[in-house]
Amino acid sequence: MVITTNQQSINDNHNYDNRRSFNNLPVHPGECLVPIRVDWEMVKHFNMCRDNLETWHIGPNKVLVAFAPVAIDAKAAAIKNFYRDVREYFASFHTDDTLSLDQFLEEAESEDDKGFEPASPENLEETVLLRMIINDLINQVHIINPKYGRILDLICEDYTKGQILEELHLGKSQGYADIKAAQDLAKKLYFGE
């Protein structure tokens, strides 16, 4: 087993290079590992090393995850694709227990609510995965627009809209427009629009 650690972007909070690639090949310089959703047919077809797979539990659903090398500069797109694939996979079950960015954005948009309140998860793993997904999404927003990323950080810290305006020294109309724009950007990134 060879595990290679590569230099990651300063905005990258999720380094998967402590994992092993699905086929045990080393990660080359300029590459990093990213999660990919797999199924048992893929595992057989690509002769994946089963010891390198992980099962991530999210609500009542389980996701079989492998790790594949990609160029470091393609990491954000690969992770975005992973989240899209997981979301589509969950949607195929038609349950109400899947991740809901829409709920996150709606609660954050409400003037009466304080902000993000995840559905009460039944176990720690799904809370951790949801937090990882939201953190990766916010990191992507930070890269595109640091101001909008900061707004989403404050939403996650249960700031009210008024507190966000005060913290960022924004006027009411411009502040509300910025909050909505930050939420719209997050939604666009999440859904790959």
Side-chain angles (χ1 to χ4, degrees):
M1 163 182 50
V2 176
I3 299 176
T4 304
T5 304
N6 289 308
Q7 183 66 31
Q8 300 295 304
S9 160
I10 197 160
N11 293 316
D12 181 9
N13 288 335
H14 298 290
N15 182 340
Y16 302 101
D17 288 344
N18 62 343
R19 309 305 207 292
R20 292 176 288 171
S21 69
F22 69 90
N23 55 4
N24 277 327
L25 291 177
V27 178
H28 299 296
E31 292 182 334
C32 62
L33 290 176
V34 296
I36 57 172
R37 187 190 67 79
V38 296
D39 58 35
W40 288 110
E41 290 301 315
M42 292 171 68
V43 171
K44 291 177 195 170
H45 179 76
F46 293 106
N47 197 24
M48 293 182 181
C49 179
R50 292 175 185 228
D51 291 339
N52 298 352
L53 304 177
E54 294 181 8
T55 301
W56 291 1
H57 300 266
I58 304 168
N61 302 314
K62 294 179 182 178
V63 179
L64 188 59
V65 177
F67 298 89
V70 298
I72 289 175
D73 54 349
K75 181 177 183 178
I79 290 175
K80 182 177 170 183
N81 187 52
F82 168 73
Y83 294 140
R84 184 180 313 118
D85 185 34
V86 168
R87 188 178 61 253
E88 289 170 2
Y89 176 67
F90 287 161
S92 71
F93 297 123
H94 301 292
T95 70
D96 293 334
D97 296 325
T98 60
L99 294 174
S100 176
L101 180 66
D102 286 335
Q103 180 184 1
F104 165 71
L105 294 175
E106 286 171 12
E107 289 177 1
E109 210 170 296
S110 169
E111 296 206 21
D112 295 335
D113 290 335
K114 290 190 170 200
F116 174 63
E117 294 181 28
S120 50
E122 295 179 14
N123 66 44
L124 180 61
E125 289 176 15
E126 66 187 70
T127 301
V128 169
L129 184 59
L130 178 59
R131 179 55 65 190
M132 285 174 55
I133 290 170
I134 290 172
N135 284 342
D136 278 344
L137 180 67
I138 291 172
N139 285 337
Q140 289 178 23
V141 172
H142 268 286
I143 292 167
I144 295 168
N145 186 318
K147 180 180 181 182
Y148 292 172
R150 180 67 180 134
I151 288 170
L152 294 177
D153 286 337
L154 295 174
I155 288 171
C156 285
E157 293 173 20
D158 288 335
Y159 277 61
T160 64
K161 284 188 176 185
Q163 290 171 324
I164 292 171
L165 300 180
E166 189 176 308
E167 177 77 17
L168 299 179
H169 309 291
L170 299 171
K172 191 171 186 176
S173 61
Q174 180 61 47
Y176 284 159
D178 285 343
I179 291 169
K180 174 134 180 52
Q183 293 166 337
D184 288 345
L185 178 57
K187 191 172 186 177
K188 179 181 175 185
L189 290 171
Y190 184 79
F191 289 108
E193 298 171 0

